[in-house]
Structure formats: structure tokens, C-alpha cells
Amino acid sequence: GEDVEQSLFLSVREGDSSVINCTYTDSSSTYLYWYKQEPGAGLQLLTYIFSNMDMKQDQRLTVLLNKKDKHLSLRIADTQTGDSAIYFCAENTNDYKLSFGAGTTVTVRA
Amino acid sequence: NAGVTQTPKFRVLKTGQSMTLLCAQDMNHEYMYWYRQDPGMGLRLIHYSVGEGTTAKGEVPDGYNVSRLKKQNFLLGLESAAPSQTSVYFCASTRTGGKETQYFGPGTRLLVL
């Protein structure tokens, strides 16, 4: 969606950290999400962050939220080949709807 | 639980033909959604439903119709397919709405010639 922007591609070496960035526009969003889509599959929720938090850590995943700049990032530590996928940032714009970014294709090279 | 399932997985249509995509969920979710995914554009909401018997338009509803006659099923219809409707279609469901996690089906690839 046009309200959420992400870079389209990221290439990272196996074992390095990946950082995927996202900017959003709706300052009233309560939750922000990261979804993962593997080839030929639907989207799967990776993690989410509540808008009153700055950071959330979940194993290899770290989400950082800068509400002032409306900037969200996802860091994947020790990136593995199984992390190759498309990653979507999303915000809830109202009670029924999520607005998705275009997705960042992450390629992990050996 | 099967979660969210979609039928068919893949379909080829000629321009002007009609078809119905079926989405089914066994999680007793109230909200259901139909999205289309096109390269470089992410997911765009076509139609959604907040409960059995109700439907509403999303961002890109033109050329599509939907029905939610049963809580567990959400049907997406194309009355007269056009090449611009070539896309991957995803269905999703959620318990109570936008703040809840959306569970996605595996997608239907549609090619309109």
C-alpha cells in the first residue's frame, strides 16, 4: 500500500545481520507488524510491536520503532538461508484493516 | 485445524470468463479478507467481511464481487475476467479485526489470457 514504504531488495551474507526498514504514515496505528512470505506460500506473522514500545526482541529478531519518524525496522541476527523470503511491513489503519508495504525480498548468499 | 484454505490453487481463464475463488477457515474467525498481490505493489485489499452476511469494499473492489453466506466461507467472484486481474489472490481471516493477527491462506494464482 502507498501508506507503507519499504526498500524492495536486500542481499546479505549468511551469518551476518539483516536489517529491513519501513516507513509508515498513520500516526494513529496501534500495532505494527512484520510478515514473512516464503516462495509459493501465504504470509506468516513473524512479530509485531505495540505503538507505545520502542523495541521488541524475540530470539533472532529485533524490532525497533521510532514513532516520531514513523520508522520501523526488523533486524535478523545470524541470517540463515532459510531466512530468504519476502518480508512485509504492515500497520493497522483502523479497526478492520491492515495496510501493507510492497515487501522486501531478502536473499541470503553463502 | 487446517487454518485458512483456498480453492483452486491455480487457474487459467480467458478474457470474459467467470469464476469463483473459495476461501474457508476453521478457526471461527469473524473477519475475512480478500487481497491481491502484484509484483512491487504488496497486498491490496479487494473486499472484506466483518461477519456472516456482511461484506464491504476495500481498496480495489472493481471487477470483483464477494459473498459471506456462511461464517467459515468467503467467496470471491470474477464475473468477466480481464487480463488486469492476473494476480495472486490471498484470503485471510482474523478473530476480531485489524489489531489481531491475520492468518493467510496459501494463495490462488490466476492467469487471465
PDB file of all heavy atoms in Angstrom, chain A residues 1 30-31 33 35 37 40-43 45 88 92 95-98 100-102, chain B residues 31 33 35 37 40-43 45 48 90 97-102 104-106:
ATOM      1  N   GLY A   1       0.812  -1.197   0.000  1.00  0.00           N
ATOM      2  CA  GLY A   1       0.000   0.000   0.000  1.00  0.00           C
ATOM      3  C   GLY A   1       0.845   1.246   0.000  1.00  0.00           C
ATOM      4  O   GLY A   1       1.980   1.263   0.444  1.00  0.00           O
ATOM      5  N   THR A  30      -1.952   1.458  15.987  1.00  0.00           N
ATOM      6  CA  THR A  30      -1.744   0.901  17.318  1.00  0.00           C
ATOM      7  C   THR A  30      -0.703  -0.203  17.299  1.00  0.00           C
ATOM      8  O   THR A  30       0.089  -0.338  18.215  1.00  0.00           O
ATOM      9  CB  THR A  30      -3.073   0.334  17.855  1.00  0.00           C
ATOM     10  OG1 THR A  30      -4.096   1.281  17.654  1.00  0.00           O
ATOM     11  CG2 THR A  30      -2.949   0.017  19.330  1.00  0.00           C
ATOM     12  N   TYR A  31      -0.750  -1.016  16.267  1.00  0.00           N
ATOM     13  CA  TYR A  31       0.183  -2.121  16.115  1.00  0.00           C
ATOM     14  C   TYR A  31       0.886  -2.023  14.762  1.00  0.00           C
ATOM     15  O   TYR A  31       0.296  -1.582  13.775  1.00  0.00           O
ATOM     16  CB  TYR A  31      -0.553  -3.467  16.167  1.00  0.00           C
ATOM     17  CG  TYR A  31      -1.089  -3.826  17.530  1.00  0.00           C
ATOM     18  CD1 TYR A  31      -2.369  -3.437  17.915  1.00  0.00           C
ATOM     19  CD2 TYR A  31      -0.326  -4.561  18.417  1.00  0.00           C
ATOM     20  CE1 TYR A  31      -2.860  -3.765  19.164  1.00  0.00           C
ATOM     21  CE2 TYR A  31      -0.814  -4.902  19.664  1.00  0.00           C
ATOM     22  CZ  TYR A  31      -2.069  -4.499  20.030  1.00  0.00           C
ATOM     23  OH  TYR A  31      -2.554  -4.827  21.258  1.00  0.00           O
ATOM     24  N   TYR A  33       3.401  -4.539  12.230  1.00  0.00           N
ATOM     25  CA  TYR A  33       3.653  -5.964  12.063  1.00  0.00           C
ATOM     26  C   TYR A  33       4.768  -6.215  11.050  1.00  0.00           C
ATOM     27  O   TYR A  33       4.994  -5.422  10.125  1.00  0.00           O
ATOM     28  CB  TYR A  33       2.388  -6.648  11.503  1.00  0.00           C
ATOM     29  CG  TYR A  33       1.145  -6.446  12.320  1.00  0.00           C
ATOM     30  CD1 TYR A  33       0.375  -5.300  12.189  1.00  0.00           C
ATOM     31  CD2 TYR A  33       0.717  -7.428  13.217  1.00  0.00           C
ATOM     32  CE1 TYR A  33      -0.778  -5.121  12.940  1.00  0.00           C
ATOM     33  CE2 TYR A  33      -0.441  -7.258  13.950  1.00  0.00           C
ATOM     34  CZ  TYR A  33      -1.178  -6.111  13.812  1.00  0.00           C
ATOM     35  OH  TYR A  33      -2.321  -5.932  14.544  1.00  0.00           O
ATOM     36  N   TYR A  35       5.496  -9.470   8.513  1.00  0.00           N
ATOM     37  CA  TYR A  35       5.077 -10.754   7.980  1.00  0.00           C
ATOM     38  C   TYR A  35       6.185 -11.288   7.067  1.00  0.00           C
ATOM     39  O   TYR A  35       6.897 -10.525   6.417  1.00  0.00           O
ATOM     40  CB  TYR A  35       3.797 -10.625   7.150  1.00  0.00           C
ATOM     41  CG  TYR A  35       2.527 -10.550   7.955  1.00  0.00           C
ATOM     42  CD1 TYR A  35       2.089  -9.338   8.505  1.00  0.00           C
ATOM     43  CD2 TYR A  35       1.747 -11.677   8.150  1.00  0.00           C
ATOM     44  CE1 TYR A  35       0.918  -9.277   9.235  1.00  0.00           C
ATOM     45  CE2 TYR A  35       0.565 -11.619   8.866  1.00  0.00           C
ATOM     46  CZ  TYR A  35       0.158 -10.424   9.405  1.00  0.00           C
ATOM     47  OH  TYR A  35      -1.007 -10.357  10.128  1.00  0.00           O
ATOM     48  N   GLN A  37       6.914 -14.038   3.838  1.00  0.00           N
ATOM     49  CA  GLN A  37       6.312 -14.867   2.789  1.00  0.00           C
ATOM     50  C   GLN A  37       7.403 -15.677   2.112  1.00  0.00           C
ATOM     51  O   GLN A  37       8.289 -15.120   1.453  1.00  0.00           O
ATOM     52  CB  GLN A  37       5.588 -14.005   1.753  1.00  0.00           C
ATOM     53  CG  GLN A  37       4.880 -14.833   0.697  1.00  0.00           C
ATOM     54  CD  GLN A  37       4.218 -13.971  -0.372  1.00  0.00           C
ATOM     55  OE1 GLN A  37       4.686 -12.885  -0.694  1.00  0.00           O
ATOM     56  NE2 GLN A  37       3.119 -14.458  -0.927  1.00  0.00           N
ATOM     57  N   GLY A  40       5.891 -19.316  -2.942  1.00  0.00           N
ATOM     58  CA  GLY A  40       4.707 -20.134  -3.172  1.00  0.00           C
ATOM     59  C   GLY A  40       3.778 -20.270  -1.987  1.00  0.00           C
ATOM     60  O   GLY A  40       2.846 -21.082  -2.020  1.00  0.00           O
ATOM     61  N   ALA A  41       3.993 -19.477  -0.954  1.00  0.00           N
ATOM     62  CA  ALA A  41       3.176 -19.616   0.256  1.00  0.00           C
ATOM     63  C   ALA A  41       2.498 -18.296   0.605  1.00  0.00           C
ATOM     64  O   ALA A  41       2.795 -17.251   0.028  1.00  0.00           O
ATOM     65  CB  ALA A  41       4.057 -20.067   1.424  1.00  0.00           C
ATOM     66  N   GLY A  42       1.581 -18.366   1.555  1.00  0.00           N
ATOM     67  CA  GLY A  42       0.928 -17.170   2.060  1.00  0.00           C
ATOM     68  C   GLY A  42       1.817 -16.438   3.045  1.00  0.00           C
ATOM     69  O   GLY A  42       2.960 -16.821   3.295  1.00  0.00           O
ATOM     70  N   LEU A  43       1.286 -15.367   3.615  1.00  0.00           N
ATOM     71  CA  LEU A  43       2.049 -14.592   4.578  1.00  0.00           C
ATOM     72  C   LEU A  43       1.914 -15.196   5.966  1.00  0.00           C
ATOM     73  O   LEU A  43       0.841 -15.661   6.352  1.00  0.00           O
ATOM     74  CB  LEU A  43       1.542 -13.146   4.615  1.00  0.00           C
ATOM     75  CG  LEU A  43       2.095 -12.199   3.558  1.00  0.00           C
ATOM     76  CD1 LEU A  43       1.587 -12.554   2.176  1.00  0.00           C
ATOM     77  CD2 LEU A  43       1.753 -10.766   3.905  1.00  0.00           C
ATOM     78  N   LEU A  45       2.773 -14.357  10.081  1.00  0.00           N
ATOM     79  CA  LEU A  45       3.187 -13.322  11.023  1.00  0.00           C
ATOM     80  C   LEU A  45       4.497 -13.714  11.686  1.00  0.00           C
ATOM     81  O   LEU A  45       4.629 -14.796  12.240  1.00  0.00           O
ATOM     82  CB  LEU A  45       2.121 -13.131  12.101  1.00  0.00           C
ATOM     83  CG  LEU A  45       2.459 -12.045  13.130  1.00  0.00           C
ATOM     84  CD1 LEU A  45       2.393 -10.665  12.490  1.00  0.00           C
ATOM     85  CD2 LEU A  45       1.504 -12.120  14.321  1.00  0.00           C
ATOM     86  N   PHE A  88       7.174  -8.332   4.736  1.00  0.00           N
ATOM     87  CA  PHE A  88       6.212  -7.238   4.610  1.00  0.00           C
ATOM     88  C   PHE A  88       6.048  -6.524   5.947  1.00  0.00           C
ATOM     89  O   PHE A  88       5.848  -7.163   6.983  1.00  0.00           O
ATOM     90  CB  PHE A  88       4.836  -7.765   4.186  1.00  0.00           C
ATOM     91  CG  PHE A  88       4.786  -8.287   2.789  1.00  0.00           C
ATOM     92  CD1 PHE A  88       5.038  -9.626   2.523  1.00  0.00           C
ATOM     93  CD2 PHE A  88       4.473  -7.443   1.723  1.00  0.00           C
ATOM     94  CE1 PHE A  88       4.985 -10.108   1.227  1.00  0.00           C
ATOM     95  CE2 PHE A  88       4.417  -7.922   0.437  1.00  0.00           C
ATOM     96  CZ  PHE A  88       4.674  -9.255   0.184  1.00  0.00           C
ATOM     97  N   ASN A  92      -1.854  -1.269  11.269  1.00  0.00           N
ATOM     98  CA  ASN A  92      -3.315  -1.325  11.311  1.00  0.00           C
ATOM     99  C   ASN A  92      -3.835   0.104  11.221  1.00  0.00           C
ATOM    100  O   ASN A  92      -3.561   0.949  12.056  1.00  0.00           O
ATOM    101  CB  ASN A  92      -3.825  -2.049  12.555  1.00  0.00           C
ATOM    102  CG  ASN A  92      -3.678  -1.232  13.820  1.00  0.00           C
ATOM    103  OD1 ASN A  92      -2.583  -0.830  14.154  1.00  0.00           O
ATOM    104  ND2 ASN A  92      -4.785  -0.959  14.500  1.00  0.00           N
ATOM    105  N   ASP A  95      -9.980  -0.244  12.583  1.00  0.00           N
ATOM    106  CA  ASP A  95     -10.387  -1.450  13.309  1.00  0.00           C
ATOM    107  C   ASP A  95     -10.451  -2.703  12.455  1.00  0.00           C
ATOM    108  O   ASP A  95     -10.501  -3.809  12.983  1.00  0.00           O
ATOM    109  CB  ASP A  95     -11.766  -1.233  13.945  1.00  0.00           C
ATOM    110  CG  ASP A  95     -11.661  -0.377  15.192  1.00  0.00           C
ATOM    111  OD1 ASP A  95     -10.539  -0.226  15.714  1.00  0.00           O
ATOM    112  OD2 ASP A  95     -12.694   0.149  15.636  1.00  0.00           O
ATOM    113  N   TYR A  96     -10.492  -2.541  11.153  1.00  0.00           N
ATOM    114  CA  TYR A  96     -10.669  -3.748  10.353  1.00  0.00           C
ATOM    115  C   TYR A  96      -9.539  -4.002   9.373  1.00  0.00           C
ATOM    116  O   TYR A  96      -9.459  -5.065   8.805  1.00  0.00           O
ATOM    117  CB  TYR A  96     -11.979  -3.665   9.558  1.00  0.00           C
ATOM    118  CG  TYR A  96     -12.006  -2.542   8.536  1.00  0.00           C
ATOM    119  CD1 TYR A  96     -11.473  -2.719   7.274  1.00  0.00           C
ATOM    120  CD2 TYR A  96     -12.563  -1.313   8.854  1.00  0.00           C
ATOM    121  CE1 TYR A  96     -11.479  -1.685   6.340  1.00  0.00           C
ATOM    122  CE2 TYR A  96     -12.574  -0.280   7.932  1.00  0.00           C
ATOM    123  CZ  TYR A  96     -12.033  -0.477   6.680  1.00  0.00           C
ATOM    124  OH  TYR A  96     -12.049   0.546   5.780  1.00  0.00           O
ATOM    125  N   LYS A  97      -8.657  -3.049   9.170  1.00  0.00           N
ATOM    126  CA  LYS A  97      -7.798  -3.120   8.001  1.00  0.00           C
ATOM    127  C   LYS A  97      -6.321  -3.018   8.351  1.00  0.00           C
ATOM    128  O   LYS A  97      -5.922  -2.263   9.224  1.00  0.00           O
ATOM    129  CB  LYS A  97      -8.178  -1.977   7.069  1.00  0.00           C
ATOM    130  CG  LYS A  97      -7.486  -1.940   5.743  1.00  0.00           C
ATOM    131  CD  LYS A  97      -8.134  -0.869   4.882  1.00  0.00           C
ATOM    132  CE  LYS A  97      -7.371  -0.635   3.592  1.00  0.00           C
ATOM    133  NZ  LYS A  97      -6.105   0.047   3.778  1.00  0.00           N
ATOM    134  N   LEU A  98      -5.522  -3.814   7.658  1.00  0.00           N
ATOM    135  CA  LEU A  98      -4.078  -3.657   7.691  1.00  0.00           C
ATOM    136  C   LEU A  98      -3.637  -3.029   6.375  1.00  0.00           C
ATOM    137  O   LEU A  98      -4.178  -3.352   5.321  1.00  0.00           O
ATOM    138  CB  LEU A  98      -3.379  -5.002   7.856  1.00  0.00           C
ATOM    139  CG  LEU A  98      -3.491  -5.719   9.190  1.00  0.00           C
ATOM    140  CD1 LEU A  98      -2.645  -6.984   9.171  1.00  0.00           C
ATOM    141  CD2 LEU A  98      -3.068  -4.823  10.340  1.00  0.00           C
ATOM    142  N   PHE A 100      -0.351  -2.794   3.963  1.00  0.00           N
ATOM    143  CA  PHE A 100       0.925  -3.482   3.763  1.00  0.00           C
ATOM    144  C   PHE A 100       1.863  -2.667   2.897  1.00  0.00           C
ATOM    145  O   PHE A 100       1.434  -1.981   1.959  1.00  0.00           O
ATOM    146  CB  PHE A 100       0.686  -4.827   3.071  1.00  0.00           C
ATOM    147  CG  PHE A 100       0.049  -5.864   3.950  1.00  0.00           C
ATOM    148  CD1 PHE A 100      -1.326  -5.926   4.084  1.00  0.00           C
ATOM    149  CD2 PHE A 100       0.821  -6.783   4.635  1.00  0.00           C
ATOM    150  CE1 PHE A 100      -1.929  -6.879   4.890  1.00  0.00           C
ATOM    151  CE2 PHE A 100       0.235  -7.746   5.442  1.00  0.00           C
ATOM    152  CZ  PHE A 100      -1.135  -7.790   5.570  1.00  0.00           C
ATOM    153  N   GLY A 101       3.159  -2.806   3.152  1.00  0.00           N
ATOM    154  CA  GLY A 101       4.162  -2.308   2.236  1.00  0.00           C
ATOM    155  C   GLY A 101       4.307  -3.254   1.049  1.00  0.00           C
ATOM    156  O   GLY A 101       3.671  -4.313   1.003  1.00  0.00           O
ATOM    157  N   ALA A 102       5.158  -2.881   0.111  1.00  0.00           N
ATOM    158  CA  ALA A 102       5.320  -3.673  -1.117  1.00  0.00           C
ATOM    159  C   ALA A 102       6.158  -4.924  -0.886  1.00  0.00           C
ATOM    160  O   ALA A 102       6.188  -5.803  -1.740  1.00  0.00           O
ATOM    161  CB  ALA A 102       5.944  -2.818  -2.208  1.00  0.00           C
TER     162      ALA A 102
ATOM    163  N   TYR B  31     -13.758 -11.969  10.987  1.00  0.00           N
ATOM    164  CA  TYR B  31     -13.340 -11.126   9.875  1.00  0.00           C
ATOM    165  C   TYR B  31     -12.634 -11.957   8.809  1.00  0.00           C
ATOM    166  O   TYR B  31     -11.771 -12.795   9.125  1.00  0.00           O
ATOM    167  CB  TYR B  31     -12.358 -10.051  10.357  1.00  0.00           C
ATOM    168  CG  TYR B  31     -12.954  -8.935  11.169  1.00  0.00           C
ATOM    169  CD1 TYR B  31     -13.557  -9.166  12.393  1.00  0.00           C
ATOM    170  CD2 TYR B  31     -12.878  -7.619  10.713  1.00  0.00           C
ATOM    171  CE1 TYR B  31     -14.087  -8.133  13.144  1.00  0.00           C
ATOM    172  CE2 TYR B  31     -13.399  -6.572  11.458  1.00  0.00           C
ATOM    173  CZ  TYR B  31     -13.997  -6.831  12.663  1.00  0.00           C
ATOM    174  OH  TYR B  31     -14.517  -5.800  13.397  1.00  0.00           O
ATOM    175  N   TYR B  33     -10.914 -11.571   4.652  1.00  0.00           N
ATOM    176  CA  TYR B  33     -10.399 -10.586   3.701  1.00  0.00           C
ATOM    177  C   TYR B  33     -10.000 -11.272   2.406  1.00  0.00           C
ATOM    178  O   TYR B  33      -9.528 -12.417   2.429  1.00  0.00           O
ATOM    179  CB  TYR B  33      -9.142  -9.905   4.258  1.00  0.00           C
ATOM    180  CG  TYR B  33      -9.294  -9.287   5.632  1.00  0.00           C
ATOM    181  CD1 TYR B  33      -9.196 -10.070   6.777  1.00  0.00           C
ATOM    182  CD2 TYR B  33      -9.525  -7.919   5.778  1.00  0.00           C
ATOM    183  CE1 TYR B  33      -9.335  -9.498   8.040  1.00  0.00           C
ATOM    184  CE2 TYR B  33      -9.656  -7.356   7.033  1.00  0.00           C
ATOM    185  CZ  TYR B  33      -9.564  -8.148   8.154  1.00  0.00           C
ATOM    186  OH  TYR B  33      -9.690  -7.582   9.407  1.00  0.00           O
ATOM    187  N   TYR B  35      -7.283 -10.317  -0.692  1.00  0.00           N
ATOM    188  CA  TYR B  35      -6.240  -9.434  -1.187  1.00  0.00           C
ATOM    189  C   TYR B  35      -5.789  -9.931  -2.556  1.00  0.00           C
ATOM    190  O   TYR B  35      -5.888 -11.110  -2.871  1.00  0.00           O
ATOM    191  CB  TYR B  35      -5.005  -9.479  -0.286  1.00  0.00           C
ATOM    192  CG  TYR B  35      -5.170  -8.935   1.105  1.00  0.00           C
ATOM    193  CD1 TYR B  35      -5.535  -9.771   2.155  1.00  0.00           C
ATOM    194  CD2 TYR B  35      -4.910  -7.594   1.380  1.00  0.00           C
ATOM    195  CE1 TYR B  35      -5.648  -9.282   3.450  1.00  0.00           C
ATOM    196  CE2 TYR B  35      -5.017  -7.097   2.675  1.00  0.00           C
ATOM    197  CZ  TYR B  35      -5.391  -7.957   3.693  1.00  0.00           C
ATOM    198  OH  TYR B  35      -5.492  -7.474   4.977  1.00  0.00           O
ATOM    199  N   GLN B  37      -2.082  -9.757  -4.798  1.00  0.00           N
ATOM    200  CA  GLN B  37      -0.668  -9.426  -4.671  1.00  0.00           C
ATOM    201  C   GLN B  37      -0.071  -9.326  -6.065  1.00  0.00           C
ATOM    202  O   GLN B  37      -0.095 -10.297  -6.836  1.00  0.00           O
ATOM    203  CB  GLN B  37       0.084 -10.490  -3.873  1.00  0.00           C
ATOM    204  CG  GLN B  37       1.554 -10.136  -3.663  1.00  0.00           C
ATOM    205  CD  GLN B  37       2.315 -11.186  -2.899  1.00  0.00           C
ATOM    206  OE1 GLN B  37       1.938 -12.362  -2.875  1.00  0.00           O
ATOM    207  NE2 GLN B  37       3.390 -10.794  -2.241  1.00  0.00           N
ATOM    208  N   GLY B  40       5.878  -5.745  -6.754  1.00  0.00           N
ATOM    209  CA  GLY B  40       6.223  -4.375  -6.410  1.00  0.00           C
ATOM    210  C   GLY B  40       5.106  -3.575  -5.785  1.00  0.00           C
ATOM    211  O   GLY B  40       5.275  -2.389  -5.523  1.00  0.00           O
ATOM    212  N   MET B  41       3.939  -4.209  -5.544  1.00  0.00           N
ATOM    213  CA  MET B  41       2.803  -3.447  -5.013  1.00  0.00           C
ATOM    214  C   MET B  41       2.287  -3.997  -3.703  1.00  0.00           C
ATOM    215  O   MET B  41       1.316  -3.496  -3.161  1.00  0.00           O
ATOM    216  CB  MET B  41       1.676  -3.417  -6.044  1.00  0.00           C
ATOM    217  CG  MET B  41       2.090  -2.766  -7.333  1.00  0.00           C
ATOM    218  SD  MET B  41       0.712  -2.527  -8.443  1.00  0.00           S
ATOM    219  CE  MET B  41      -0.130  -1.175  -7.651  1.00  0.00           C
ATOM    220  N   GLY B  42       2.899  -5.030  -3.201  1.00  0.00           N
ATOM    221  CA  GLY B  42       2.439  -5.564  -1.931  1.00  0.00           C
ATOM    222  C   GLY B  42       1.048  -6.152  -2.049  1.00  0.00           C
ATOM    223  O   GLY B  42       0.621  -6.600  -3.107  1.00  0.00           O
ATOM    224  N   LEU B  43       0.327  -6.137  -0.939  1.00  0.00           N
ATOM    225  CA  LEU B  43      -1.028  -6.669  -0.908  1.00  0.00           C
ATOM    226  C   LEU B  43      -2.032  -5.518  -0.920  1.00  0.00           C
ATOM    227  O   LEU B  43      -1.901  -4.570  -0.152  1.00  0.00           O
ATOM    228  CB  LEU B  43      -1.257  -7.500   0.358  1.00  0.00           C
ATOM    229  CG  LEU B  43      -0.836  -8.945   0.281  1.00  0.00           C
ATOM    230  CD1 LEU B  43       0.658  -9.066   0.333  1.00  0.00           C
ATOM    231  CD2 LEU B  43      -1.462  -9.739   1.409  1.00  0.00           C
ATOM    232  N   LEU B  45      -6.161  -4.664  -0.649  1.00  0.00           N
ATOM    233  CA  LEU B  45      -7.409  -5.240  -0.161  1.00  0.00           C
ATOM    234  C   LEU B  45      -8.502  -5.073  -1.209  1.00  0.00           C
ATOM    235  O   LEU B  45      -8.779  -3.962  -1.668  1.00  0.00           O
ATOM    236  CB  LEU B  45      -7.807  -4.555   1.144  1.00  0.00           C
ATOM    237  CG  LEU B  45      -9.047  -5.066   1.839  1.00  0.00           C
ATOM    238  CD1 LEU B  45      -8.864  -6.511   2.293  1.00  0.00           C
ATOM    239  CD2 LEU B  45      -9.393  -4.180   3.028  1.00  0.00           C
ATOM    240  N   TYR B  48     -13.733  -7.152   2.049  1.00  0.00           N
ATOM    241  CA  TYR B  48     -13.610  -7.795   3.333  1.00  0.00           C
ATOM    242  C   TYR B  48     -14.996  -8.014   3.939  1.00  0.00           C
ATOM    243  O   TYR B  48     -15.996  -7.495   3.427  1.00  0.00           O
ATOM    244  CB  TYR B  48     -12.718  -6.986   4.291  1.00  0.00           C
ATOM    245  CG  TYR B  48     -13.285  -5.649   4.691  1.00  0.00           C
ATOM    246  CD1 TYR B  48     -13.935  -5.480   5.905  1.00  0.00           C
ATOM    247  CD2 TYR B  48     -13.163  -4.540   3.853  1.00  0.00           C
ATOM    248  CE1 TYR B  48     -14.463  -4.252   6.277  1.00  0.00           C
ATOM    249  CE2 TYR B  48     -13.684  -3.313   4.211  1.00  0.00           C
ATOM    250  CZ  TYR B  48     -14.330  -3.178   5.418  1.00  0.00           C
ATOM    251  OH  TYR B  48     -14.848  -1.963   5.779  1.00  0.00           O
ATOM    252  N   PHE B  90      -4.941 -13.760  -2.238  1.00  0.00           N
ATOM    253  CA  PHE B  90      -4.821 -14.320  -0.892  1.00  0.00           C
ATOM    254  C   PHE B  90      -6.065 -14.010  -0.084  1.00  0.00           C
ATOM    255  O   PHE B  90      -6.579 -12.890  -0.106  1.00  0.00           O
ATOM    256  CB  PHE B  90      -3.611 -13.737  -0.162  1.00  0.00           C
ATOM    257  CG  PHE B  90      -2.301 -14.250  -0.663  1.00  0.00           C
ATOM    258  CD1 PHE B  90      -1.529 -13.499  -1.529  1.00  0.00           C
ATOM    259  CD2 PHE B  90      -1.847 -15.506  -0.280  1.00  0.00           C
ATOM    260  CE1 PHE B  90      -0.326 -13.974  -2.002  1.00  0.00           C
ATOM    261  CE2 PHE B  90      -0.642 -15.996  -0.747  1.00  0.00           C
ATOM    262  CZ  PHE B  90       0.125 -15.226  -1.608  1.00  0.00           C
ATOM    263  N   GLY B  97     -10.550  -8.363  14.061  1.00  0.00           N
ATOM    264  CA  GLY B  97     -10.325  -7.160  13.267  1.00  0.00           C
ATOM    265  C   GLY B  97      -8.869  -6.771  13.126  1.00  0.00           C
ATOM    266  O   GLY B  97      -7.975  -7.564  13.380  1.00  0.00           O
ATOM    267  N   GLY B  98      -8.614  -5.532  12.745  1.00  0.00           N
ATOM    268  CA  GLY B  98      -7.302  -5.079  12.313  1.00  0.00           C
ATOM    269  C   GLY B  98      -6.179  -5.252  13.315  1.00  0.00           C
ATOM    270  O   GLY B  98      -5.045  -5.455  12.928  1.00  0.00           O
ATOM    271  N   LYS B  99      -6.481  -5.190  14.606  1.00  0.00           N
ATOM    272  CA  LYS B  99      -5.397  -5.291  15.577  1.00  0.00           C
ATOM    273  C   LYS B  99      -4.962  -6.736  15.796  1.00  0.00           C
ATOM    274  O   LYS B  99      -3.921  -7.007  16.347  1.00  0.00           O
ATOM    275  CB  LYS B  99      -5.836  -4.688  16.911  1.00  0.00           C
ATOM    276  CG  LYS B  99      -6.122  -3.206  16.848  1.00  0.00           C
ATOM    277  CD  LYS B  99      -6.515  -2.678  18.194  1.00  0.00           C
ATOM    278  CE  LYS B  99      -6.790  -1.182  18.162  1.00  0.00           C
ATOM    279  NZ  LYS B  99      -7.933  -0.851  17.303  1.00  0.00           N
ATOM    280  N   GLU B 100      -5.769  -7.653  15.375  1.00  0.00           N
ATOM    281  CA  GLU B 100      -5.461  -9.062  15.582  1.00  0.00           C
ATOM    282  C   GLU B 100      -4.610  -9.593  14.432  1.00  0.00           C
ATOM    283  O   GLU B 100      -4.650  -9.078  13.322  1.00  0.00           O
ATOM    284  CB  GLU B 100      -6.761  -9.865  15.656  1.00  0.00           C
ATOM    285  CG  GLU B 100      -7.621  -9.533  16.844  1.00  0.00           C
ATOM    286  CD  GLU B 100      -7.224 -10.319  18.061  1.00  0.00           C
ATOM    287  OE1 GLU B 100      -6.606 -11.390  17.896  1.00  0.00           O
ATOM    288  OE2 GLU B 100      -7.534  -9.878  19.175  1.00  0.00           O
ATOM    289  N   THR B 101      -3.865 -10.643  14.719  1.00  0.00           N
ATOM    290  CA  THR B 101      -3.069 -11.297  13.683  1.00  0.00           C
ATOM    291  C   THR B 101      -3.966 -11.795  12.565  1.00  0.00           C
ATOM    292  O   THR B 101      -4.999 -12.416  12.824  1.00  0.00           O
ATOM    293  CB  THR B 101      -2.331 -12.502  14.293  1.00  0.00           C
ATOM    294  OG1 THR B 101      -1.469 -12.030  15.314  1.00  0.00           O
ATOM    295  CG2 THR B 101      -1.542 -13.240  13.235  1.00  0.00           C
ATOM    296  N   GLN B 102      -3.568 -11.527  11.339  1.00  0.00           N
ATOM    297  CA  GLN B 102      -4.289 -12.084  10.206  1.00  0.00           C
ATOM    298  C   GLN B 102      -3.629 -13.400   9.794  1.00  0.00           C
ATOM    299  O   GLN B 102      -2.410 -13.483   9.676  1.00  0.00           O
ATOM    300  CB  GLN B 102      -4.286 -11.101   9.025  1.00  0.00           C
ATOM    301  CG  GLN B 102      -5.122  -9.860   9.298  1.00  0.00           C
ATOM    302  CD  GLN B 102      -5.475  -9.083   8.047  1.00  0.00           C
ATOM    303  OE1 GLN B 102      -5.214  -9.522   6.938  1.00  0.00           O
ATOM    304  NE2 GLN B 102      -6.076  -7.914   8.228  1.00  0.00           N
ATOM    305  N   PHE B 104      -3.245 -16.178   6.893  1.00  0.00           N
ATOM    306  CA  PHE B 104      -3.370 -16.183   5.445  1.00  0.00           C
ATOM    307  C   PHE B 104      -3.483 -17.599   4.883  1.00  0.00           C
ATOM    308  O   PHE B 104      -2.881 -18.543   5.399  1.00  0.00           O
ATOM    309  CB  PHE B 104      -2.151 -15.508   4.806  1.00  0.00           C
ATOM    310  CG  PHE B 104      -2.206 -14.009   4.878  1.00  0.00           C
ATOM    311  CD1 PHE B 104      -1.849 -13.342   6.044  1.00  0.00           C
ATOM    312  CD2 PHE B 104      -2.634 -13.270   3.792  1.00  0.00           C
ATOM    313  CE1 PHE B 104      -1.905 -11.948   6.114  1.00  0.00           C
ATOM    314  CE2 PHE B 104      -2.693 -11.885   3.853  1.00  0.00           C
ATOM    315  CZ  PHE B 104      -2.330 -11.229   5.008  1.00  0.00           C
ATOM    316  N   GLY B 105      -4.224 -17.694   3.790  1.00  0.00           N
ATOM    317  CA  GLY B 105      -4.252 -18.923   3.007  1.00  0.00           C
ATOM    318  C   GLY B 105      -3.027 -18.988   2.111  1.00  0.00           C
ATOM    319  O   GLY B 105      -2.250 -18.038   2.031  1.00  0.00           O
ATOM    320  N   PRO B 106      -2.844 -20.105   1.403  1.00  0.00           N
ATOM    321  CA  PRO B 106      -1.651 -20.311   0.576  1.00  0.00           C
ATOM    322  C   PRO B 106      -1.683 -19.565  -0.749  1.00  0.00           C
ATOM    323  O   PRO B 106      -0.675 -19.503  -1.435  1.00  0.00           O
ATOM    324  CB  PRO B 106      -1.635 -21.822   0.335  1.00  0.00           C
ATOM    325  CG  PRO B 106      -3.063 -22.216   0.434  1.00  0.00           C
ATOM    326  CD  PRO B 106      -3.675 -21.319   1.453  1.00  0.00           C
TER     327      PRO B 106
END
